[in-house]
Amino acid sequence: MKQPRDYTVIFSDDDILVLNKRSGLCVAADRYDENAPRLDLIAQEEFGKLFAVHRIDKDTSGIVLYARNEIAHKNLCEQFQNHSVKKIYHCLVNGRPLWKTLKVDLPLLPDGDTHHRTIVDRKNGKKSLTEFSLLGICGPYSWLEARPLTGRTHQIRAHLHAKNFSIVCDPIYGSNQRGVFLSELKRRYNGDPYEERPLISRLALHAYKIEFIHPTKNSAMKFCAPYPKDLEATRKQFLKLFGIDSCGGIDSLAKSDSENYQN
């Protein structure tokens, strides 16, 4: 099976680099596996030295922002520390929420148990806030939008776990590791069930949008990262079966946003 590209370039100038990374790739050094492939080292072969300003989980796909010089690095780090950077994630979860919106304000402690999970700890945890919106219910699954207002490790996954929800194929916080199979959703499935591959079989979490102020031009920047192939296949099938589109036509906006900033 052909390995997907490690990243695609959404935007680049002298100060910043915005990439759309594949799932399964670390964005910086992994403290548990120092030899794990790293996005920053791979991208530096094309763009030169990069400065990390934030992280997303190894198994999460989507937007990663890097600074390309020390001045931009300092400015962007301050924006993240001040929580002025807006981040939006899309995820597919097991189950059907009874709410349209949910605000989770629970303190989190990274590496809080023997499984190295982030846990809710009201005594030792740091303040953590995530806003969730229900994008649509698709049979036994639901599309959610997540807006983390703080930047804790595994924040979205831990907050969902605290509310008895898990992202599809979450190897750490989920009890159900089974992928999404079209044959289990479509009444008249004509394919060979013995040859069927899941629509998605990895953590169904995608860093979808980011908004920040350009570190030297002081202009508002907004970028969207189109879904990777597996998540896009799931979206299209769910749109056909349930009439629910998690993107709501925003993919065209993602392309036009990037083009506008490059022109």
Side-chain angles (χ1 to χ4, degrees), residues 79-95:
Q79 291 187 54
F80 276 97
Q81 290 170 1
N82 295 333
H83 306 300
S84 60
V85 178
K86 296 180 180 179
K87 298 167 289 179
I88 291 178
Y89 291 72
H90 284 182
C91 58
L92 184 66
V93 301
N94 298 292

Side-chain angles (χ1 to χ4, degrees), residues 7 67 156 172 187 217 223:
Y7 66 86
I156 294 171
I172 301 176
R187 290 184 179 179
K217 299 177 183 177
F223 298 104

Side-chain angles (χ1 to χ4, degrees), residues 143 231-241 244-245:
W143 288 111
L231 202 60
E232 177 66 5
T234 306
R235 181 188 74 86
K236 288 181 177 179
Q237 289 294 344
F238 280 14
L239 178 58
K240 291 179 182 178
L241 293 171
I244 299 295
D245 187 354

Side-chain angles (χ1 to χ4, degrees), residues 90-92 135 137-138 141-143 180 182 185 198-200 202 204 206 208 225-252:
H90 284 182
C91 58
L92 184 66
L135 298 176
I137 294 174
C138 301
Y141 306 104
S142 298
W143 288 111
V180 177
L182 183 59
L185 300 169
L199 294 172
I200 187 165
R202 54 88 176 177
H206 183 69
Y208 187 56
Y227 286 3
K229 186 177 181 180
D230 54 0
L231 202 60
E232 177 66 5
T234 306
R235 181 188 74 86
K236 288 181 177 179
Q237 289 294 344
F238 280 14
L239 178 58
K240 291 179 182 178
L241 293 171
F242 305 105
I244 299 295
D245 187 354
S246 59
C247 291
I250 305 180
D251 275 349
S252 60

Side-chain angles (χ1 to χ4, degrees), residues 49-63:
K49 186 174 181 179
L50 298 175
F51 300 78
V53 295
H54 75 126
R55 291 175 179 245
I56 65 174
D57 297 344
K58 172 185 176 181
D59 294 324
T60 302
S61 57
I63 285 183

Side-chain angles (χ1 to χ4, degrees), residues 13-60:
D13 67 10
D14 291 338
D15 299 301
I16 63 173
L17 175 65
V18 186
L19 301 178
N20 186 2
K21 87 167 185 77
R22 67 169 174 86
S23 172
L25 186 63
C26 296
V27 300
D30 188 315
R31 58 178 171 172
Y32 300 112
D33 183 4
E34 61 181 18
N35 296 317
R38 290 170 49 180
L39 175 64
D40 57 345
L41 297 183
I42 295 171
Q44 280 180 173
E45 296 179 6
E46 180 178 358
F47 294 97
K49 186 174 181 179
L50 298 175
F51 300 78
V53 295
H54 75 126
R55 291 175 179 245
I56 65 174
D57 297 344
K58 172 185 176 181
D59 294 324
T60 302

Side-chain angles (χ1 to χ4, degrees), residues 28-228:
D30 188 315
R31 58 178 171 172
Y32 300 112
D33 183 4
E34 61 181 18
N35 296 317
R38 290 170 49 180
L39 175 64
D40 57 345
L41 297 183
I42 295 171
Q44 280 180 173
E45 296 179 6
E46 180 178 358
F47 294 97
K49 186 174 181 179
L50 298 175
F51 300 78
V53 295
H54 75 126
R55 291 175 179 245
I56 65 174
D57 297 344
K58 172 185 176 181
D59 294 324
T60 302
S61 57
I63 285 183
V64 180
L65 171 65
Y66 289 106
R68 299 190 65 182
N69 56 63
E70 293 183 357
I71 294 176
H73 180 240
K74 181 177 184 298
N75 181 283
L76 290 172
C77 284
E78 289 175 351
Q79 291 187 54
F80 276 97
Q81 290 170 1
N82 295 333
H83 306 300
S84 60
V85 178
K86 296 180 180 179
K87 298 167 289 179
I88 291 178
Y89 291 72
H90 284 182
C91 58
L92 184 66
V93 301
N94 298 292
R96 303 159 65 99
L98 298 177
W99 39 263
K100 294 291 185 182
T101 61
L102 177 68
K103 183 177 289 187
V104 183
D105 187 0
L106 293 171
L108 296 176
L109 178 67
D111 204 8
D113 65 12
T114 56
H115 299 287
H116 302 294
R117 293 182 298 189
T118 295
I119 63 171
V120 174
D121 189 323
R122 299 182 184 278
K123 180 179 180 181
N124 300 307
K126 293 184 178 181
K127 181 175 178 60
S128 306
L129 178 62
T130 310
E131 295 177 344
F132 295 97
S133 297
L134 175 63
L135 298 176
I137 294 174
C138 301
Y141 306 104
S142 298
W143 288 111
L144 299 182
E145 178 178 285
R147 297 177 297 279
L149 304 183
T150 49
R152 311 304 176 202
T153 300
H154 293 179
Q155 178 174 315
I156 294 171
R157 300 159 74 180
H159 273 167
L160 282 173
H161 181 72
K163 295 299 179 178
N164 299 314
F165 283 95
S166 65
I167 298 174
V168 167
C169 294
D170 190 332
I172 301 176
Y173 298 88
S175 58
N176 180 8
Q177 299 305 307
R178 185 169 173 78
V180 177
F181 287 85
L182 183 59
S183 61
E184 298 176 355
L185 300 169
K186 191 175 182 180
R187 290 184 179 179
R188 297 180 179 178
Y189 177 73
N190 298 321
D192 185 341
Y194 298 102
E195 296 293 332
E196 182 186 11
R197 292 181 177 179
L199 294 172
I200 187 165
S201 58
R202 54 88 176 177
L203 180 71
L205 179 62
H206 183 69
Y208 187 56
K209 178 186 272 188
I210 193 167
E211 298 181 31
F212 57 95
I213 302 301
H214 193 282
T216 61
K217 299 177 183 177
N218 203 36
S219 56
M221 308 295 285
K222 177 175 67 175
F223 298 104
C224 290
Y227 286 3

